[in-house]
Amino acid sequence: MRRLLRSLARRLRGRPGRRPAWKPFLLAFWPFILGSALVMGGLAAIVVGYLGAAGTLVVGLQMPYLISGGLLGLALVVFGAALLLLHGLNRQARLLKGVLEEGRAAPNGEASPAPNGLVLVPAGATAFHRPGCRLVEGKTARRLKPETAARKGLRPCPLCDPAAAS
Ligand SMILES: [Zn+2]
């Protein structure tokens, strides 16, 4: 029995020198978990408040149940939903940051200036790009000299930075 407990404790702590597997998961998802728990708890409080009010036949006693259960439940649901929303936004921001950093890390690789030094201007765009920039991928674009694009009031794309190429 004691040996079983010790091996269980070791398993919970994780192997020495290695982070337990649940830790990064918990770090990344605690707003989601807490938010879900709060929303469910809030809904439960509303239901309990409603049942408490319905179960009380004396009208004067119904209000405290409704108010405390309803308000507490509503507050929990709102707070939980805010946490969930924050979690979603955080994820989006991290994804976007990854894409931007990826693009900046290889500005001379896939997005190199064309041999003739022309830049691309997608139809209706206000910026010009190096050929191969992921923002012009799959779009029809005019080819212009960088000076011409600048004269037309177009600005260099912040992602592929075509001004540095010219
Ligand atoms: Zn670009």
Side-chain angles (χ1 to χ4, degrees):
M1 187 62 190
R2 178 169 284 187
R3 195 189 293 170
L4 185 78
L5 278 178
R6 210 178 298 153
S7 81
L8 205 76
R10 205 180 308 138
R11 202 168 302 170
L12 278 177
R13 268 202 310 269
R15 297 210 185 112
R18 203 192 273 184
R19 278 153 66 95
W22 54 267
K23 216 167 181 181
F25 175 80
L26 208 67
L27 277 177
F29 281 93
W30 73 264
F32 178 75
I33 296 165
L34 188 63
S36 309
L38 285 178
V39 168
M40 278 187 274
L43 290 177
I46 290 173
V47 169
V48 167
Y50 179 76
L51 289 180
T56 310
L57 291 174
V58 186
V59 175
L61 281 178
Q62 286 179 355
M63 285 319 284
Y65 271 111
L66 268 181
I67 289 172
S68 58
L71 282 187
L72 179 74
L74 211 64
L76 285 178
V77 168
V78 167
F79 188 63
L83 266 178
L84 286 177
L85 195 72
L86 210 71
H87 178 67
L89 287 178
N90 212 352
R91 264 178 70 91
Q92 292 298 318
R94 227 176 303 151
L95 277 176
L96 190 67
K97 215 173 135 199
V99 168
L100 284 177
E101 271 167 11
E102 205 179 300
R104 211 166 286 156
N108 299 314
E110 88 187 86
S112 54
N116 48 14
L118 294 181
V119 293
L120 295 181
V121 182
T126 55
F128 59 94
H129 304 263
R130 298 181 195 221
C133 174
R134 72 181 62 217
L135 293 183
V136 288
E137 249 170 45
K139 290 183 188 164
T140 46
R142 283 180 300 159
R143 287 173 180 275
L144 293 176
K145 282 183 185 166
E147 309 88 73
T148 317
R151 213 169 37 235
K152 283 175 183 282
L154 299 164
R155 56 184 175 76
C157 162
L159 195 64
C160 60
D161 198 11
S166 56

